[in-house]
Amino acid sequence: MSRPVMARGWAMGSEAMVAGVELGGTKSIAVVGRGHEIIDRFRVPTTTPEETLGALSAKLAAWRDAYRPEAIGIASFGPISVSEGRMLPTPKPHWAGADIVGPLGDGFDRVAFHTDVTGAALGEGRYGAAAGLSDYLYVTVGTGVGMGIIVGGQPVTGMMHPEAGHIRVRRRTGDDFAGACPFHGDCLEGLVSGPAIAARTGKPAHLLTADDPAWRDVADALGEAFATLFLTLSPARIIVGGGVGLGQPQLLPMVRERVVAALGGYLGFVDAQSIDERIVPAGLGDEAGPLGTMVMAQALLDAA
């Protein structure tokens, strides 16, 4: 059985043929290609581990014969154990404890494994809104809130991958919404995710008008969280993606305004003049994840 291998560095060198899998909560995508060129792509719904991983594994086997990829990057929804290559307890039926790297990495000598949001972060770092940066964050705001944290060019893991979407934030005066997170109530995800917005307003986010007062609450919570992240991690940039994060053009200007106010002039590199460069929308859209898996795979070859 193949086991996860973590690269020592994530800088790109000469580009080889590689494969990647982005395992999502509703759909999963396998790709094969070189550099930023995806040569072939395969998409399946995420149902049970047996069905989904079986279909992906069969396609990867065919690609090994056809394209000879030298490594594979696997980026999965979570929570996951990066070191063990498997799923941790998850609310998604049938997936708790599922071995991910075993079936998908079978036949590959080099396997990289991390979260889907970290894969997207690495894609943005190589080809998107964080190109050329070594310290940055990718934050997806959609059905949930996930964060991929890159420090010194390396994805942060520690004892477990970051779950910064569940940090607590200082609440705006007068905002008494209880929150929608089943674990923490009014953590960041419980305040700004798509389900949280629907619970707060009684309608999905995409049906709210741009001037709905709920957006001020969402922006305030995100602004407090981002201010905390600038203080603790000093990233050069926070990149925002996801259906909520990218689907509301009025949101990021409000978030930037709140970050500057929350910091109160304490950080010289995050002020009214620089804030538009510090918090930016994702540049790759839905391609960040698939390209990120290829970046992960190539990094293993560069580190070998």
Side-chain angles (χ1 to χ4, degrees), residues 73-96:
I74 304 167
S76 175
F77 73 93
I80 59 172
S81 170
V82 174
S83 62
E84 296 179 352
R86 64 177 56 251
M87 195 72 65
L88 294 173
T90 173
K92 187 167 181 60
H94 312 297
W95 283 85

Side-chain angles (χ1 to χ4, degrees), residues 116-277:
D116 52 355
V117 69
T118 295
L122 292 166
E124 289 286 343
R126 176 60 177 168
Y127 302 114
L133 301 179
S134 62
D135 302 279
Y136 62 93
L137 281 69
Y138 177 87
V139 181
T140 178
V141 185
T143 303
V145 176
M147 296 193 194
I149 300 174
I150 310 298
V151 176
Q154 300 270 357
V156 170
T157 303
M159 296 297 292
M160 182 181 166
H161 54 82
E163 284 287 0
H166 290 273
I167 61 175
R168 298 289 183 134
V169 296
R170 181 172 56 178
R171 302 289 298 277
R172 185 178 68 82
T173 301
D175 180 11
D176 58 0
F177 173 55
C181 175
F183 295 96
H184 313 119
D186 62 348
C187 65
L188 182 63
E189 182 172 292
L191 293 174
V192 306
S193 66
I197 293 170
R200 181 194 287 271
T201 65
K203 59 180 71 173
H206 70 275
L207 293 182
L208 298 181
T209 61
D211 60 354
D212 192 290
W215 293 120
R216 175 55 60 186
D217 295 318
V218 171
D220 189 80
L222 284 170
E224 288 287 336
F226 288 4
T228 297
L229 293 166
F230 278 120
L231 286 165
T232 54
L233 297 171
S234 296
R237 190 165 293 162
I238 295 177
I239 300 154
V240 183
V244 174
L246 291 178
Q248 304 295 328
Q250 80 283 0
L251 185 59
L252 282 192
M254 297 166 66
V255 172
R256 295 183 182 116
E257 175 187 318
R258 183 59 200 150
V259 169
V260 171
L263 290 173
Y266 187 73
L267 295 180
F269 72 99
V270 186
D271 57 18
Q273 288 69 49
S274 64
I275 192 65
D276 287 356
E277 291 296 315

Side-chain angles (χ1 to χ4, degrees), residues 8-19:
R8 295 179 181 176
W10 294 82
M12 299 289 284
S14 59
E15 294 167 333
M17 188 69 70
V18 296

